[in-house]
């Protein structure tokens, strides 16, 4: 079962259990453990805690945006000059800027990808024009800043993926254990006290299990799940044994 479906299942069962009048008192320990485990699984599912690399990424992103702004502004001004020695190469580079349409406010990874190709063009395809405007070093710095953002975001993604997977695996295992203990407690109460007070809850849990098997796990329902259960007929009353023809006299 995927993480989202697993959480929804245990959360729904917990909510129904908390509605039961007597479980909180009769199964206090199991209910407390079950609720705590579900809350921890919810926290892990929505895990988005700040990574220490986030600040470094923000600094590198600020630097590359500043460098790109300097480059774009400079090319624009050179393109307006009357001296063709500057305006001619600048107009080529300005059209290149417009073609890419890079916006420092766009999504981080999208900007990174565009700048990889953008700076590659400047180093390979437009190296002459860049050199004529004296922007070779500026382009190099922009390329380095963008690569720093790329490497930091990749590292952060790896760290988050590892921590999230490990935390979620541990949380699910704890929830499964708490759930099984709760089930054992409900079954024990049904045996000791009779199932009248617990039949509705037990039916609900069993119905949820069948639903998740079919809709989430795509399993086929077994015969016992797809057909109504007919209770077995009671055993017939035993016939009395016939009296012996010559009973012993005591």
């Amino acid at each position: 079962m995927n993480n989202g479906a697993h959480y929804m299942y245990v959360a729904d069962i917990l909510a129904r259990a908390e509605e039961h009048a007597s479980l909180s008192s009769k199964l206090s320990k199991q209910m407390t453990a079950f609720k705590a485990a579900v809350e921890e699984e919810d926290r892990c599912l929505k895990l988005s805690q700040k990574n220490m690399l986030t600040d470094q990424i923000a600094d590198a992103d600020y630097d590359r945006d500043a460098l790109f702004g300097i480059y774009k502004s400079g090319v624009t001004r050179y393109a307006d000059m009357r001296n063709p020695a500057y305006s001619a190469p600048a107009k080529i580079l300005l059209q290149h800027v417009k073609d890419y349409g890079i916006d420092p406010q766009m999504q981080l990874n999208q900007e990174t990808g565009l700048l990889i190709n953008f700076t590659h063009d400047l180093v390979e395809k437009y190296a002459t024009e860049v050199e004529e405007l004296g922007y070779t070093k500026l382009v190099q710095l922009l390329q380095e800043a963008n690569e720093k953002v790329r490497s930091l975001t990749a590292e952060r993604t790896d760290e988050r993926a590892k921590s999230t997977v490990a935390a979620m695996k541990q949380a699910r295992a704890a929830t499964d254990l708490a759930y099984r203990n709760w089930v054992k407690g409900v079954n024990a109460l049904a045996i000791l006290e009779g199932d009248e007070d617990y039949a509705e809850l037990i039916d609900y849990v069993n119905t949820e299990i069948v639903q998740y098997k079919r809709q989430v796990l795509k399993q086929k329902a077994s015969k016992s799940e797809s057909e109504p259960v007919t209770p077995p007929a009671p055993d017939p009353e035993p016939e009395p044994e016939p009296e012996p023809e010559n009973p012993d006299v005591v």
Side-chain angles (χ1 to χ4, degrees):
M1 192 184 297
N2 63 58
N3 289 334
H6 185 276
Y7 170 73
M8 286 305 303
Y9 173 77
V10 293
D12 287 345
I13 298 300
L14 175 64
R16 182 57 67 97
E18 290 180 325
E19 293 175 359
H20 196 279
S22 60
L23 287 185
S24 293
S25 58
K26 293 181 178 180
L27 292 179
S28 176
K29 182 178 179 181
Q30 290 86 345
M31 287 288 292
T32 300
F34 189 20
K35 183 176 182 179
V38 172
E39 289 176 349
E40 174 62 12
E41 184 170 335
D42 182 33
R43 186 192 71 82
C44 292
L45 188 63
K46 298 183 291 189
L47 186 63
S48 59
Q49 65 185 95
K50 183 179 178 181
N51 187 290
M52 64 180 297
L53 293 173
T54 299
D55 289 337
Q56 297 180 44
I57 292 171
D59 290 342
D61 183 40
Y62 178 86
D63 289 343
R64 77 169 177 186
D65 289 348
L67 289 167
F68 177 75
I70 293 170
Y71 173 83
K72 181 179 179 180
S73 176
V75 168
T76 301
R77 292 181 179 180
Y78 273 126
D80 289 336
M81 293 182 67
R82 295 183 178 180
N83 187 339
Y86 295 104
S87 62
K91 287 178 180 179
I92 295 174
L93 296 180
L94 182 58
Q95 184 58 50
H96 179 243
V97 170
K98 292 178 180 179
D99 290 342
Y100 270 84
I102 295 173
D103 181 358
Q105 301 302 315
M106 65 177 41
Q107 196 273 334
L108 191 71
N109 293 325
Q110 181 184 7
E111 182 184 358
T112 300
L114 289 175
L115 280 172
I116 288 174
N117 292 333
F118 180 81
T119 54
H120 181 268
D121 287 349
L122 296 180
V123 171
E124 298 292 334
K125 187 176 181 180
Y126 299 112
T128 300
E129 287 81 3
V130 168
E131 185 176 359
E132 288 175 344
L133 297 184
Y135 280 170
T136 302
K137 183 61 177 179
L138 178 60
V139 169
Q140 180 185 346
L141 293 174
L142 176 58
Q143 195 171 34
E144 291 173 355
N146 190 57
E147 176 59 25
K148 185 174 182 180
V149 174
R150 188 204 63 78
S151 62
L152 287 172
T153 51
E155 184 179 352
R156 182 177 64 178
T157 299
D158 288 341
E159 287 190 4
R160 282 182 172 175
K162 291 176 183 177
S163 64
T164 301
V165 169
M168 197 66 208
K169 183 178 180 180
Q170 184 176 356
R172 282 185 59 161
T175 305
D176 289 343
L177 177 60
Y179 168 74
R180 287 194 295 269
N181 289 336
W182 174 81
V183 169
K184 290 177 182 178
V186 173
N187 288 335
L189 288 175
I191 293 172
L192 293 173
E193 300 179 0
D195 63 3
E196 181 178 351
D197 290 339
Y198 308 100
E200 184 178 347
L201 175 62
I202 292 172
D203 287 344
Y204 173 80
V205 173
N206 289 334
T207 300
E208 284 286 272
I209 290 172
V210 172
Q211 178 181 334
Y212 273 79
K213 281 184 177 181
R214 291 174 176 171
Q215 297 183 4
V216 178
L217 300 179
K218 306 302 181 183
Q219 295 178 358
K220 292 183 178 179
S222 65
K223 183 176 182 181
S224 61
E225 292 171 347
S226 59
E227 297 179 1
V229 177
T230 303
D235 293 334
E237 291 290 333
E239 296 182 3
E241 295 183 4
E243 292 285 338
E245 295 182 359
N246 298 309
D248 293 334
V249 177
V250 179

